[in-house]
Amino acid sequence: MEKELLQEDSQIIVVILIAIMVLLLMAVSLVLFFFFSRKKIVAAELEKANMAISYQRDLIHGTIETQEEERKRIAQDLHDAISAKLNVVSLSTNVLIDGKLDKKEQEQTLQHILSVTTKTLESSRRLAHNLLPPILENFGLQAAIEELCDEFISSKKIKVNYTVVYHDLFSKSNELHIFRIIQELLNNSVRHGKAANVVLNIDETDQELTIEYSDDGKGFDIQSIHKNKGIGLKNIESRVEILNGILSYQSEVGNGATFTISTKKPKK
């Protein structure tokens, strides 16, 4: 009897030990499972963070490149349109001061100075207009975009079919970004796309602005453009990012390009 009890106790102890071992194995398995799962989650989060950092870095680089290109353009405009003409005025004025010209030559020189001065004023107004269009400041975004489209139409380089519905959703600084985006799209259609026609639709709801833009130009290869974006596209992407908007575009070589931009009204 005592022997049977000892055997039963031994069996119970063995069962308990086996149960403890099983529980330990399960516990270790759970710990390893959570460890490796957590490791995968952390790795995925790190990869996501690195992608976000890389995107922000590319965006900053694009913004800097765009700013540098704009500075170069402004510097070139100042040199060609203003500095060079003022040098001519200065030289002509010195000739007059010397007093070696007869009356007819003096009149001709004065007429020349007046002509150059008038052209310089026109150039300075155009430069100021490019930096900050007065119509945008005085009459708002809708009027500024309509004037911009009409200027491209008047140039006879491209036909622009446009519809603009906008009622002061954004601040003046953000309106300037929207204006520059449209300006960049039109310039790209003319310079690079060699397009003949553009369709531009700008519409709004109470809280969102949508821009739909398409042309019938040369188009471009999406895969190639993702690897090597030009200044113009980087400029557009940077401005859309500043607006907290979403940009999508589609194109095929020989079949034009389509751009869609949507951005919500910022919360006060």
Side-chain angles (χ1 to χ4, degrees):
M1 184 73 176
E2 187 178 346
K3 193 174 182 180
E4 290 178 357
L5 288 172
L6 287 171
Q7 286 179 344
E8 287 180 4
D9 289 343
S10 298
Q11 289 175 353
I12 291 170
I13 291 169
V14 170
V15 170
I16 291 171
L17 287 173
I18 291 171
I20 291 171
M21 291 296 294
V22 170
L23 287 173
L24 283 172
L25 286 171
M26 289 177 64
V28 171
S29 299
L30 284 171
V31 169
L32 290 173
F33 172 77
F34 284 116
F35 173 76
F36 287 111
S37 296
R38 182 61 183 168
K39 192 175 180 181
K40 287 181 180 179
I41 292 170
V42 170
E45 290 295 328
L46 283 173
E47 185 179 0
K48 186 178 178 181
N50 287 332
M51 288 176 64
I53 291 169
S54 177
Y55 175 74
Q56 290 296 327
R57 189 189 303 118
D58 291 342
L59 190 65
I60 291 169
H61 287 168
T63 303
I64 291 171
E65 286 180 22
T66 300
Q67 289 174 343
E68 288 302 317
E69 286 296 318
E70 289 182 348
R71 287 192 185 102
K72 288 178 184 177
R73 179 183 58 77
I74 292 167
Q76 191 66 43
D77 285 346
L78 285 170
H79 178 270
D80 295 344
I82 296 178
S83 297
K85 290 182 173 67
L86 289 177
N87 283 332
V88 172
V89 171
S90 178
L91 289 171
S92 298
T93 304
N94 285 326
V95 169
L96 284 174
I97 292 171
D98 287 341
K100 296 179 180 179
L101 303 178
D102 59 32
K103 189 174 181 180
K104 185 177 180 181
E105 288 173 332
Q106 287 178 357
E107 289 178 359
Q108 290 175 342
T109 303
L110 285 170
Q111 286 295 328
H112 181 61
I113 290 173
L114 181 61
S115 174
V116 172
T117 303
T118 302
K119 290 178 181 177
T120 305
L121 287 171
E122 291 173 356
S123 297
S124 64
R125 287 194 194 98
R126 186 173 65 252
L127 184 58
H129 183 277
N130 289 334
L131 290 172
L132 182 61
I135 191 170
L136 177 62
E137 186 71 22
N138 297 326
F139 299 101
L141 181 62
Q142 179 163 339
I145 292 176
E146 289 174 349
E147 182 188 63
L148 177 67
C149 292
D150 288 339
E151 286 175 357
F152 273 86
I153 294 169
S154 298
S155 71
K156 305 299 183 184
K157 293 179 180 178
I158 196 167
K159 293 179 180 178
V160 184
N161 184 356
Y162 64 87
T163 302
V164 183
V165 179
Y166 177 81
H167 300 96
D168 302 324
L169 277 178
F170 297 92
S171 65
K172 287 295 180 184
S173 61
N174 282 346
E175 285 184 348
L176 181 59
H177 287 304
I178 296 168
F179 177 84
R180 294 299 185 208
I181 288 169
I182 305 302
Q183 189 177 46
E184 191 68 56
L185 287 170
L186 286 165
N187 282 330
N188 286 346
S189 291
V190 172
R191 284 199 301 247
H192 306 299
K194 307 299 180 185
N197 297 280
V198 160
V199 177
L200 170 66
N201 290 310
I202 299 177
D203 200 5
E204 67 174 6
T205 62
D206 290 339
Q207 296 296 326
E208 187 175 59
L209 182 74
T210 303
I211 300 169
E212 295 177 340
Y213 180 97
S214 62
D215 68 28
D216 60 355
K218 296 191 300 183
F220 51 84
D221 179 65
I222 291 288
Q223 298 301 322
S224 298
I225 209 72
H226 282 166
K227 295 176 183 177
N228 186 23
K229 294 175 183 175
I231 293 293
L233 186 54
K234 287 181 180 178
N235 186 11
I236 292 169
E237 287 184 341
S238 297
R239 294 186 188 278
V240 172
E241 181 70 17
I242 291 169
L243 293 167
N244 292 317
I246 299 171
L247 167 67
S248 62
Y249 50 87
Q250 294 294 327
S251 183
E252 292 180 2
V253 176
N255 288 322
T258 299
F259 291 81
T260 302
I261 299 163
S262 61
T263 180
K264 294 186 181 297
K265 180 181 179 180
K267 294 179 181 179
K268 294 184 179 179

